[in-house]
């Protein structure tokens, strides 16, 4: 009998960066009511779940990842009523809603931190990580922030330093303190009781720091101008053994509710990443797999190597997942070019495991050009080259001024990408060869062909170096995915089967029968082929 799968195993996840999706009130910033207005598009597209980056009250030092109150909505985005309306409307359309949970740090404007910093005797002093200055009066150790500079900030009033692994306005919580855990578990319950379908947990692998505060090793070769987060190895600030106990506690709480998903943001090499499923699969359901985001070179051999290695490393019963883009990294179409980005989408939507992609990537949106004086992102403060603003530009809905994101005449919080007049939902919906049409077709095939969601995966040898070819199979039904990762035509001679039907080409222009023993893929073409019995 076929095994029953959960919605988050067979579904696909679409990330919305709320500031940039849809502005319903003409202030140039996206909001919850805007997202609700656009749910019809997401339903039409065929996604299963939305993951919403933070919408909680925030001074916006890190655009919502600095939270001043975990159980309310920032007025910029709307109200709790708007949130409930979004949730209700999403559920009515069979779309799940996953929210962001940011447990590693709060805003320095959160009441907890205001109280904590008020004096060394404060009842909340130990909710954050406070240390005395080093003997020379400088920071307690060498830890550096992901956004650049020391991770320690001196507080004049109380004469101690507090830790902030990100912006100075994002003090790290002390997860060794049981009161912090209890307060944050109340936050999880608050949103679960409201009906959210799960959490994406921000920097979950960083929540516990070394109890002895030992110095981190610096990465040899790092020089000013390189990404600030790459400066040190996080030996004592990341991936500490005790973090697993916290994650288990959170997971057991989430498991008290039906069918919720618990996703962890974890940038670690695959072997370490696997530990976050938990010994008895009792930690996160999906430790985000960022291999495609981090690939140094986009080539058939590197892609195959990472998929095969990941498949092999998965613990028994663990469910795979793949992420193509997010708000922290350059967009896929900018990273690998528009032609190969189509291949990347076919790959994402035909591999085994839950796919996640970033709003607008289904249009082939590229990073916007953001002039330095319009940049906001704290990660770009030392070097605009590392700003994440370009990948956060507004969603491109139509060719009108404002791109349908905001009203004509309103300046959006980040500039629109220059290509919005021809890369947008309206234009692409009417074009049978567009990027959007490709993604929509891939989604509907994925939904209708069980082999693509729950079937087995086998990669094939004996194919040209520039091609990545694999078979997805379930109950005797076999589908071949053949991806040409190069700009040259490729000749394939497969001996696994003789004939097949092209169900979909990334060019959307063929549905022919092919001899698999002698088969041509055009430059930058990917094909999904149903293999004849
Ligand atoms: C995560 C978020 C990123 C944020 C950081 C600090 O990596 O994805 O946007 O800046 O955490 O919260």
């Amino acid at each position: 009998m076929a095994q029953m799968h959960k919605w988050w195993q067979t579904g696909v996840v679409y990330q919305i960066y709320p500031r940039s999706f849809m502005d319903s009130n003409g202030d140039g910033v996206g909001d919850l009511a805007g997202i609700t207005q656009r749910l019809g598009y997401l339903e039409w597209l065929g996604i299963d779940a939305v993951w919403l980056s933070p919408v909680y009250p925030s001074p916006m030092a890190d655009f919502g990842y600095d939270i001043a109150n975990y159980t309310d909505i920032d007025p910029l985005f709307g109200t709790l009523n708007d949130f409930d309306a979004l949730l209700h409307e999403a559920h009515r359309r069979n779309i799940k809603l996953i929210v962001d949970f940011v447990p590693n740090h709060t805003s320095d404007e959160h009441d907890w931190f205001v109280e904590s910093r008020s004096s060394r005797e404060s009842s909340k002093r130990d909710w954050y990580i406070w240390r005395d200055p080093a003997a020379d009066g400088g920071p307690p150790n060498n830890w550096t922030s992901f956004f650049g500079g020391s991770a320690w900030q001196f507080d004049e009033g109380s004469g101690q330093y507090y830790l902030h692994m990100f912006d100075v306005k994002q003090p790290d919580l002390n997860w060794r303190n049981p009161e912090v855990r209890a307060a944050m578990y109340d936050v999880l319950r608050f949103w679960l009781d409201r009906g959210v379908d799960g959490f994406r947990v921000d920097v979950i692998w960083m929540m516990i720091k070394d109890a002895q505060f030992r110095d981190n090793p610096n990465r040899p070769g790092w020089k000013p101008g390189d990404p600030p987060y790459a400066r040190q190895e996080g030996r004592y600030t990341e991936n500490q053994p005790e973090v697993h106990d916290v994650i288990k506690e959170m997971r057991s709480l989430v498991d008290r509710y039906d069918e919720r998903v618990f996703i962890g943001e974890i940038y670690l090499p695959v072997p370490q990443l696997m530990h976050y499923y938990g010994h008895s699969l009792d930690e996160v359901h999906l430790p985000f797999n960022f291999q495609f985001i981090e690939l140094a070179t986009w080539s058939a051999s590197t892609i195959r190597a990472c998929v095969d290695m990941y498949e092999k490393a998965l613990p028994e019963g663990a469910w795979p997942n793949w992420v193509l883009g997010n708000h922290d990294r350059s967009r896929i179409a900018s990273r690998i070019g528009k032609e190969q980005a189509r291949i990347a989408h076919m790959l994402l939507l035909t591999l085994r495991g839950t796919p996640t992609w970033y709003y607008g990537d289904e249009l082939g949106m590229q990073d916007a050009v953001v002039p330095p004086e319009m940049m906001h992102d704290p990660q770009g403060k030392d070097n605009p080259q590392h700003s994440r603003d370009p990948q956060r530009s507004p969603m491109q809905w139509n060719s009108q001024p404002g791109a349908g994101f905001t009203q004509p005449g309103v300046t959006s919080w980040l500039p629109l990408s220059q290509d919005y007049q021809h890369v947008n939902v309206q234009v692409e919906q009417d074009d049978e060869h567009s990027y959007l049409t490709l993604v929509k077709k891939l989604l509907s095939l994925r939904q209708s062909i069980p082999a693509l969601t729950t079937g087995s995966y086998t990669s094939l040898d004996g194919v040209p170096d520039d091609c990545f070819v694999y078979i997805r199979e379930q109950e005797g039904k076999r589908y071949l995915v053949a991806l040409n990762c190069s700009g040259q035509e490729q000749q394939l001679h497969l001996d696994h089967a003789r004939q097949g039907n092209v169900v979909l080409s990334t060019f959307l222009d063929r549905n022919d029968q092919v001899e698999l023993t002698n088969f041509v893929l055009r430059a930058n073409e990917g094909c999904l082929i149903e293999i004849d019995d």
Side-chain angles (χ1 to χ4, degrees):
M1 216 186 72
Q3 200 195 330
M4 286 297 287
H5 287 88
K6 306 261 197 255
W7 65 266
W8 50 265
Q9 296 179 307
T10 53
V12 307
V13 181
Y14 183 94
Q15 182 193 353
I16 289 182
Y17 195 67
R19 295 180 69 89
S20 300
F21 198 62
M22 180 66 204
D23 170 20
S24 74
N25 62 356
D27 62 0
V29 182
D31 46 52
L32 291 175
I35 299 170
T36 307
Q37 277 172 24
R38 295 294 192 182
L39 283 175
Y41 163 72
L42 297 178
E43 187 181 11
W44 167 85
L45 184 59
I47 58 119
D48 302 275
V50 165
W51 148 36
L52 209 57
S53 282
V55 286
Y56 318 107
S58 163
M60 302 287 166
D62 189 17
F63 297 98
Y65 284 94
D66 49 320
I67 297 173
N69 177 353
Y70 285 95
T71 54
D72 205 347
I73 300 293
D74 194 287
L76 194 62
F77 296 122
T79 61
L80 275 172
N81 281 344
D82 293 323
F83 181 86
D84 290 342
L86 168 62
L87 186 62
H88 179 80
E89 192 54 23
H91 284 171
R92 197 181 67 74
R93 295 173 188 269
N94 266 325
I95 294 174
K96 308 278 187 188
L97 191 64
I98 299 165
V99 294
D100 222 302
F101 180 55
V102 186
N104 180 68
H105 44 267
T106 67
S107 161
D108 65 339
E109 296 181 34
H110 194 297
D111 286 348
W112 298 343
F113 187 73
V114 173
E115 168 61 42
S116 180
R117 112 189 284 176
S118 67
S119 92
R120 291 196 191 200
E121 281 71 48
S122 157
S123 60
K124 291 212 166 43
R125 186 67 169 179
D126 187 48
W127 281 41
Y128 292 84
I129 301 177
W130 290 97
R131 304 290 289 169
D132 285 334
D136 66 356
N141 67 17
N142 80 341
W143 295 353
T144 52
S145 144
F146 268 52
F147 294 158
S150 170
W152 296 98
Q153 176 67 21
F154 188 63
D155 176 56
E156 295 281 345
S158 60
Q160 284 189 310
Y161 282 85
Y162 69 84
L163 180 71
H164 62 91
M165 290 309 297
F166 293 90
D167 193 70
V168 63
K169 284 183 68 62
Q170 291 169 297
D172 281 46
L173 281 163
N174 175 16
W175 275 84
R176 294 180 186 271
N177 181 333
E179 289 176 23
V180 168
R181 295 191 191 192
M184 290 300 267
Y185 298 162
D186 282 346
V187 172
L188 289 174
R189 277 187 216 102
F190 176 89
W191 293 105
L192 289 164
D193 289 338
R194 243 184 157 83
V196 304
D197 299 290
F199 301 98
R200 170 271 189 189
V201 186
D202 195 64
V203 296
I204 198 169
W205 85 113
M206 293 179 56
M207 287 170 54
I208 297 268
K209 320 299 182 295
D210 180 42
Q212 297 171 53
F213 293 90
R214 282 169 282 189
D215 278 353
N216 272 334
N218 289 318
R219 284 217 175 87
W222 185 93
K223 50 188 187 323
D226 288 349
Y229 53 79
R231 183 171 184 161
Q232 285 185 342
E233 226 181 85
R235 187 176 301 167
Y236 297 112
T237 42
E238 302 171 21
N239 198 26
Q240 301 299 295
E242 302 96 316
V243 80
H244 294 282
D245 301 330
V246 180
I247 299 175
K248 270 185 221 143
E249 284 179 10
M250 289 179 170
R251 169 66 185 277
S252 73
L253 188 161
V254 171
D255 278 352
R256 275 179 233 137
Y257 295 75
D258 281 347
E259 295 267 309
R260 313 295 165 104
V261 69
F262 199 55
I263 303 175
E265 183 203 25
I266 303 160
Y267 283 93
L268 281 176
V270 168
Q272 281 106 297
L273 183 68
M274 294 300 150
H275 296 151
Y276 286 79
Y277 282 106
H279 282 307
S280 36
L281 301 184
D282 52 358
E283 296 189 29
V284 293
H285 291 119
L286 303 174
F288 262 154
N289 168 13
F290 293 123
Q291 287 186 91
F292 292 155
I293 287 187
E294 303 236 282
L295 266 189
T297 48
W298 183 260
S299 71
S301 59
T302 54
I303 301 165
R304 178 184 179 179
C306 85
V307 178
D308 285 356
M309 183 265 283
Y310 178 77
E311 280 278 349
K312 238 194 228 120
L314 280 168
E316 176 84 32
W319 189 254
N321 78 91
W322 295 96
V323 182
L324 204 56
N326 64 28
H327 62 294
D328 293 328
R329 301 296 169 103
S330 179
R331 284 187 179 272
I332 185 77
S334 295
R335 290 203 305 271
I336 65 173
K338 287 200 85 154
E339 281 108 349
Q340 279 297 310
R342 284 180 170 244
I343 300 284
H345 244 104
M346 181 173 266
L347 172 71
L348 177 78
L349 294 174
T350 57
L351 277 178
R352 209 173 73 84
T354 307
T356 298
W357 83 91
Y358 187 49
Y359 80 93
D361 280 352
E362 74 276 15
L363 306 173
M365 263 175 74
Q366 290 182 293
D367 296 343
V369 177
V370 183
E373 66 278 9
M374 288 187 74
M375 283 189 170
H376 303 277
D377 179 22
Q379 187 172 279
K381 69 182 181 332
D382 289 342
N383 187 341
Q385 215 190 314
H386 302 305
S387 168
R388 297 168 296 181
D389 292 318
Q391 59 264 32
R392 298 175 177 179
S393 68
M395 176 71 173
Q396 296 164 200
W397 295 101
N398 61 38
S399 312
Q400 304 298 312
F405 162 75
T406 191
Q407 294 157 18
V410 171
T411 308
S412 50
W413 79 285
L414 279 175
L416 289 162
S417 177
Q418 277 151 338
D419 61 9
Y420 82 89
Q421 285 179 348
H422 52 274
V423 177
N424 66 54
V425 172
Q426 200 174 46
V427 164
E428 295 195 32
Q429 277 181 327
D430 291 340
D431 173 358
E432 57 182 20
H433 297 114
S434 69
Y435 202 113
L436 181 59
T437 305
L438 170 66
V439 172
K440 182 169 165 54
K441 289 215 163 131
L442 278 165
L443 284 170
S444 89
L445 288 166
R446 191 181 161 88
Q447 219 160 42
S448 60
I449 302 174
L452 292 182
T453 40
T454 54
S456 62
Y457 157 88
T458 316
S459 58
L460 300 190
D461 295 326
V463 300
D465 288 349
D466 284 327
C467 294
F468 176 32
V469 184
Y470 49 95
I471 291 181
R472 301 294 314 275
E473 176 169 4
Q474 181 156 312
E475 287 164 5
K477 282 260 177 216
R478 291 194 297 160
Y479 288 82
L480 186 89
V481 181
L483 306 174
N484 179 357
C485 304
S486 78
Q488 285 84 45
E489 180 181 291
Q490 304 288 336
Q491 194 97 31
L492 280 83
H493 306 284
L494 302 175
D495 50 14
H496 295 78
R498 274 191 326 109
Q499 281 194 327
N501 290 304
V502 178
V503 183
L504 188 72
S505 154
T506 47
F507 293 130
L508 300 160
D509 61 354
R510 63 192 278 193
N511 283 107
D512 47 332
Q513 247 220 345
V514 287
E515 297 293 329
L516 294 172
T517 47
N518 187 11
F519 162 58
V520 173
L521 279 177
R522 289 167 285 172
N524 299 308
E525 182 178 30
C527 282
L528 172 65
I529 298 169
E530 183 177 9
I531 300 178
D532 286 352
D533 290 334

